[in-house]
Amino acid sequence: LIPYIEKQYPVIDDRSYRAVAGGSLGGIAAYRLEFQYPEKFSSVGIFGAGAISGEETRINEWLSSMHEETRIRVFMDTGDEDPLMLERAEVLKSMLDSMEIENILHNGHGGHNYAYWVSNFEMYLKWLARDW
């Protein structure tokens, strides 16, 4: 997908300008892509998701194999009416903190739905583009 996008659109071919993001199961897919391929993306947005229960060992392996030149940033947003995903996001935040990986976990009023996530998308985009 990345080579296609780079051929079709005027984008900068540099991981520091690339992010992956998703909501719910898409958030899980996003962190899996980011954590396994940090040389491709510099940041990830995870909405209404967190570390899959039972996947902590794998996540720790991915995170500990990262090098300084492929450091990542992680933005998470989970509503207070989404207790299971909030718990899993807090687990992921704890793992990221222990590895000293830059992250933010925003917890606002809302549930496990697109309306809540999109209401905070401006905050995510400003965070994402902070160093651009």
Side-chain angles (χ1 to χ4, degrees):
L1 186 58
I2 293 172
Y4 174 80
I5 290 170
E6 289 175 343
K7 283 183 182 178
Q8 298 298 316
Y9 301 98
V11 297
I12 299 172
D13 180 16
D14 183 328
R15 73 175 283 280
S16 26
Y17 298 96
R18 259 191 239 128
V20 60
S24 193
L25 184 56
I28 294 162
Y31 84 64
R32 285 176 174 170
L33 281 170
E34 177 66 53
F35 296 173
Q36 290 180 75
Y37 304 103
E39 72 281 358
K40 298 286 184 190
F41 307 98
S42 65
S43 62
V44 59
I46 304 167
F47 300 88
I52 292 286
S53 183
E55 194 167 57
E56 294 88 353
T57 300
R58 182 185 302 180
I59 291 170
N60 276 322
E61 289 170 358
W62 291 332
L63 297 176
S64 43
S65 70
M66 291 180 193
H67 304 288
E68 191 58 39
E69 65 273 5
T70 56
R71 293 295 283 181
I72 63 168
R73 298 172 40 214
V74 180
F75 180 96
M76 295 175 281
D77 186 12
T78 302
D80 59 1
E81 295 176 356
D82 192 3
L84 175 60
M85 290 299 104
L86 180 56
E87 175 190 320
R88 299 315 303 168
E90 289 169 342
V91 167
L92 183 54
K93 177 166 184 37
S94 175
M95 296 169 75
L96 294 165
D97 287 345
S98 72
M99 297 279 188
E100 299 181 347
I101 293 174
E102 180 183 343
N103 72 87
I104 183 171
L105 171 54
H106 176 262
N107 175 235
H109 182 65
H112 191 83
N113 56 65
Y114 180 77
Y116 169 72
W117 302 325
V118 79
S119 73
N120 295 310
F121 213 63
E122 181 179 351
M123 177 191 343
Y124 165 65
L125 291 174
K126 286 179 179 178
W127 172 89
L128 176 66
R130 179 189 72 203
D131 298 326
W132 290 0

